[in-house]
């Protein structure tokens, strides 16, 4: 099953960036056998792994549409076929294991917007790819907008060259407060016991240090995690030397449970953060989910989020090295 299994399609919301379609849309070709669900797609992906990975990197996002992937088990087979090693999710989002390498995406309230982020951006070991599968498309809203990260850096440098360079030179310091137990009423409601997979504080501290964070225990049983210094931007191999906006300043600055400052403790101007947030939104790309869609995002090159949604919506996720 060669590359002729695939045909290049299009979707509403696509953008052309530096001559590439973002996301690239692949659909079944006219010459491919009648759609055989996830099994047929998995076989085609397994045969064309290197080609598919090159497309993901070149286009930052790849949407596989119309292949009839039915459920978590078939999605798991698709993920396995791509051959990228699994990486365990570490972070504040409440999630549930579904099948094999497949988890629910953030289970926080559907009416809330999940802000743009590179998955696990603050952890020492973060995924190279984030793979999303739409099992139940929402009746309205619920898109997964994503942003070519280098475009944010380019535009921030045009408007705030000195601030961008100062933040990169000094580094960033983040804090995040986690509860003891899970709270699914919050997008960031994952408790530290679940996040660190232990209820032993000494073991949690050890695991936190291995991930590159310090912890401060709070009187209510929660924990404050401290991370830094971290870079504002990063350049990764094989991505045209693009300087990625590899941070979560806008998402964490001045929030109730989180903060973002310069590594020396000095404040980041609110006007800078606000403008960067506007740039991120202006550069965003989104499409309407369809049942069976599989979206592969280059996590080194894209921030992603979730629009508010009507119920029901079921999008599953796998994170890969």
């Amino acid at each position: 099953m060669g590359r002729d299994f695939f045909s290049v399609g299009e979707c509403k919301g696509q953008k052309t960036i530096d001559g590439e379609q973002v996301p690239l849309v692949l659909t079944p070709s006219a010459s491919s056998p009648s759609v055989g669900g996830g099994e047929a797609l998995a076989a085609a992906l397994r045969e064309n792994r290197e080609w598919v990975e090159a497309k993901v990197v070149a286009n930052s996002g790849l949407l596989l549409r119309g292949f009839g992937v039915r459920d978590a088990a078939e999605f798991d087979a698709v993920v396995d076929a791509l051959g990228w090693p699994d990486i365990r999710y570490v972070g504040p989002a409440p999630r549930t294991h579904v099948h094999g390498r497949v988890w629910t995406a953030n289970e926080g309230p559907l009416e809330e917007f999940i802000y743009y982020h590179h998955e696990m951006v603050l952890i020492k070991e973060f995924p190279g790819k984030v793979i999303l599968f739409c099992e139940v498309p929402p009746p309205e809203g619920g898109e997964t907008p994503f942003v070519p990260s280098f475009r944010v850096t380019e535009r921030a440098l045009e408007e705030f060259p000195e601030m961008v360079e100062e933040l990169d030179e000094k580094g960033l310091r983040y804090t995040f407060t986690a509860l003891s137990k899970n709270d699914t009423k919050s997008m960031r409601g994952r408790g530290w016991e679940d996040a660190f997979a232990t209820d032993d504080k000494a073991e949690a501290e050890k695991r936190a240090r291995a991930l590159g964070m310090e912890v401060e225990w709070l009187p209510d049983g929660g924990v404050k995690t401290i991370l830094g210094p971290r870079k504002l931007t990063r350049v990764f191999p094989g991505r045209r030397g693009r300087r990625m906006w590899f941070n979560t300043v806008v998402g964490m600055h001045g929030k109730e449970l989180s903060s973002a400052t310069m590594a020396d403790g000095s404040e980041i101007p609110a006007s800078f953060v606000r403008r960067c947030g506007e740039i991120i939104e202006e550069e965003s790309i989104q499409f309407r989910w369809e049942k069976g869609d599989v979206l592969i995002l280059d996590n080194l090159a894209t921030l992603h989020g979730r629009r508010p949604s009507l119920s029901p919506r079921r999008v599953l996720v796998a994170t890969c090295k």
Side-chain angles (χ1 to χ4, degrees):
M1 208 180 288
R3 288 173 207 166
D4 56 358
F5 180 82
F6 300 101
S7 178
V8 176
E10 54 186 36
C11 69
K12 193 173 179 182
Q14 238 175 351
K15 289 185 181 179
T16 302
I17 298 171
D18 288 353
E20 301 287 357
Q21 288 287 289
V22 185
L24 176 66
V25 181
L26 293 182
T27 60
S29 69
S31 61
S32 68
S34 59
V35 175
E39 203 173 301
L41 176 60
L45 292 172
R46 192 173 284 110
E47 258 188 52
N48 296 282
R49 278 179 180 174
E50 289 183 12
W51 178 74
V52 170
E53 177 155 26
K55 294 296 182 190
V56 173
V57 172
N59 297 76
S60 300
L62 173 62
L63 175 61
L64 300 166
R65 171 165 280 179
F67 294 96
V69 182
R70 285 180 278 262
D71 54 27
E74 290 196 359
F75 175 49
D76 189 55
V78 166
V79 172
D80 186 62
L82 289 162
W84 301 318
D86 191 35
I87 187 167
R88 184 178 185 273
Y89 172 73
V90 178
R95 291 182 171 179
T96 304
H97 179 247
V98 180
H99 181 97
R101 294 169 59 174
V102 178
W103 293 70
T104 58
N106 191 320
E107 293 176 3
L110 284 177
E111 65 271 16
E112 294 185 36
F113 176 50
I114 296 175
Y115 197 70
Y116 300 99
H117 57 285
H118 288 272
E119 200 65 39
M120 291 163 55
V121 64
L122 301 182
I123 307 300
K124 277 184 178 176
E125 190 181 19
F126 39 80
K129 315 286 189 305
V130 174
I131 313 175
L132 297 148
F133 163 61
C134 182
E135 188 172 22
V136 180
E140 189 179 311
E143 298 91 350
T144 300
F146 63 96
V147 180
S149 199
F150 81 99
R151 288 288 301 139
V152 184
T153 308
E154 280 185 350
R155 290 186 57 188
L157 277 167
E158 286 169 11
E159 295 188 34
F160 308 98
E162 291 172 4
M163 178 57 63
V164 170
E165 300 302 357
E166 182 183 0
L167 286 169
D168 243 348
E169 190 180 323
K170 286 186 175 177
L172 301 162
R173 179 182 185 268
Y174 301 97
T175 68
F176 181 78
T177 301
L179 308 169
S180 173
K181 304 291 183 187
N182 288 349
D183 174 13
T184 54
K185 295 187 186 73
S186 168
M187 295 179 302
R188 292 179 167 181
R190 193 179 188 204
W192 65 262
E193 293 177 22
D194 185 17
F196 295 124
T198 180
D199 59 4
D200 180 278
K201 288 186 174 181
E203 182 61 27
E205 287 183 23
K206 184 177 162 188
R207 293 178 186 183
R209 280 194 295 274
L211 295 166
M213 58 179 85
E214 296 298 319
V215 300
E216 218 174 83
W217 297 103
L218 304 173
D220 63 2
V223 65
K224 184 180 189 179
T225 55
I226 302 141
L227 305 99
R230 294 284 191 275
K231 297 283 285 179
L232 182 78
T233 67
R234 295 274 299 265
V235 177
F236 295 103
R239 285 156 181 83
R240 309 190 197 188
R242 288 170 167 173
R243 197 168 162 186
M244 306 301 183
W245 186 258
F246 208 71
N247 66 76
T248 183
V249 166
V250 179
M252 290 181 72
H253 182 269
K255 302 293 189 293
E256 185 184 356
L257 294 177
S258 66
S259 71
T261 63
M262 295 190 203
D264 62 8
S266 49
E267 283 296 321
I268 301 169
S271 57
F272 169 78
V273 176
R274 187 167 54 250
R275 180 61 189 136
C276 290
E278 291 169 356
I279 290 169
I280 290 169
E281 185 57 58
E282 287 163 13
E283 292 295 329
S284 69
I285 297 165
Q286 68 180 34
F287 57 87
R288 294 279 304 154
W289 279 117
E290 294 182 9
K291 183 174 173 57
D293 279 351
V294 174
L295 175 65
I296 309 172
L297 290 176
D298 180 357
N299 189 49
L300 309 184
T302 57
L303 306 113
H304 69 278
R306 186 197 73 193
R307 298 280 183 213
S309 175
L310 290 183
S311 184
R313 177 191 191 268
R314 186 167 167 87
V315 173
L316 305 178
V317 65
T319 45
C320 309
K321 290 183 181 176

